[in-house]
Amino acid sequence: MIAALTTISGEPPVTVWQTETEIPDVDLIVIPGGFSYGDYLRCGAIAARMPVLEAVRRKAREGVRILGVCNGFQILVEAGLLPGALMRNASLKFVCKEVQLEVSNADTLFTKHYQQGEIIRCPVAHHDGNFFAEPDMLRQLEDNGQVAFRYANGTNPNGSLNDIAGIINRNGNVLGMMPHPENLIEAAHGGKDGYALFSAALGLAA
């Protein structure tokens, strides 16, 4: 993630440790994927209670753009910054492969450099990415245009309801997604399908 942000923005991002209580003035906060605290309890549950997350909540209320990828998405959900839950994959197996994503809402701070309905490629690597929400919440997400990305063309790797791969909050400044767009931002990786997400999130030209 640091390499992707450095490549796209031209300078390395500021890094903040989980025990810190302040975040400097930035344009974008990214909570990356990986594993936190061995994913004990629930994925992201312990990390969501670290001191830095209160600073993330403050920044979210101020309108700062926040992106959570994979474990970062799980942390945002556990921290109450995004609705729903991310459960064990329907296959009960870790899944690592490339999937196809449909841009379900191209009118967001993160997706505005894509076209509505555009299909992009993106890798996934997770064990607990099965998005779930109660019927009323799911309906609200759909009605409010909060579904940013869906798994497309039968590539849903985890059983997520409505093929949901990524959602935004009501204010539109917090995005969580299970796929890893940072792993497909330059030709050497096999394509640049993830580049537009970061250029939009960083406020750069398309």
Side-chain angles (χ1 to χ4, degrees):
M1 183 63 78
I2 289 174
L5 291 168
T6 302
T7 297
I8 294 167
S9 69
E11 57 184 88
V14 175
T15 55
V16 179
W17 191 244
Q18 64 216 25
T19 53
E20 296 186 41
T21 57
E22 298 293 334
I23 295 176
D25 290 334
V26 293
D27 298 314
L28 173 68
I29 296 171
V30 179
I31 306 176
F35 300 91
S36 55
Y37 298 93
D39 283 340
Y40 295 121
L41 300 182
R42 297 178 307 277
C43 295
I46 299 176
R49 287 152 178 82
M50 291 296 101
V52 74
L53 260 295
E54 186 51 46
V56 173
R57 291 187 185 92
R58 289 197 302 271
K59 292 293 187 180
R61 291 193 293 268
E62 294 169 4
V64 175
R65 300 170 189 180
I66 298 171
L67 169 65
V69 171
C70 197
N71 192 229
F73 185 11
Q74 295 162 342
I75 291 169
L76 289 174
V77 169
E78 289 286 344
L81 286 166
L82 288 172
L86 290 157
M87 307 189 304
R88 188 65 44 88
N89 294 345
S91 65
L92 303 182
K93 296 179 180 179
F94 183 88
V95 177
C96 181
K97 64 179 183 178
E98 185 178 283
V99 299
Q100 295 182 23
L101 300 179
E102 176 190 353
V103 181
S104 294
N105 184 352
D107 188 26
T108 79
L109 295 170
F110 302 91
T111 59
K112 62 184 180 180
H113 290 172
Y114 295 111
Q115 299 297 314
Q116 184 72 26
E118 183 176 351
I119 303 297
I120 63 173
R121 298 160 47 228
C122 203
V124 297
H126 58 256
H127 196 270
D128 295 68
N130 185 350
F131 181 80
F132 174 84
E134 295 290 347
D136 287 346
M137 176 56 68
L138 188 63
R139 191 176 308 111
Q140 289 178 33
L141 290 172
E142 296 285 3
D143 291 347
N144 295 334
Q146 289 178 251
V147 178
F149 295 102
R150 296 182 202 276
Y151 301 109
N153 298 325
T155 63
N156 185 334
N158 49 42
S160 288
L161 291 176
N162 292 14
D163 293 323
I164 290 174
I167 60 172
I168 57 173
N169 65 340
R170 287 292 299 270
N171 292 334
N173 66 310
V174 180
L175 168 67
M177 59 187 299
M178 287 308 299
H180 287 267
E182 75 277 13
N183 289 342
L184 208 62
I185 57 99
E186 51 188 328
H189 294 161
K192 299 181 66 174
D193 290 35
Y195 191 100
L197 186 147
F198 292 100
S199 62
L202 289 165
L204 303 176

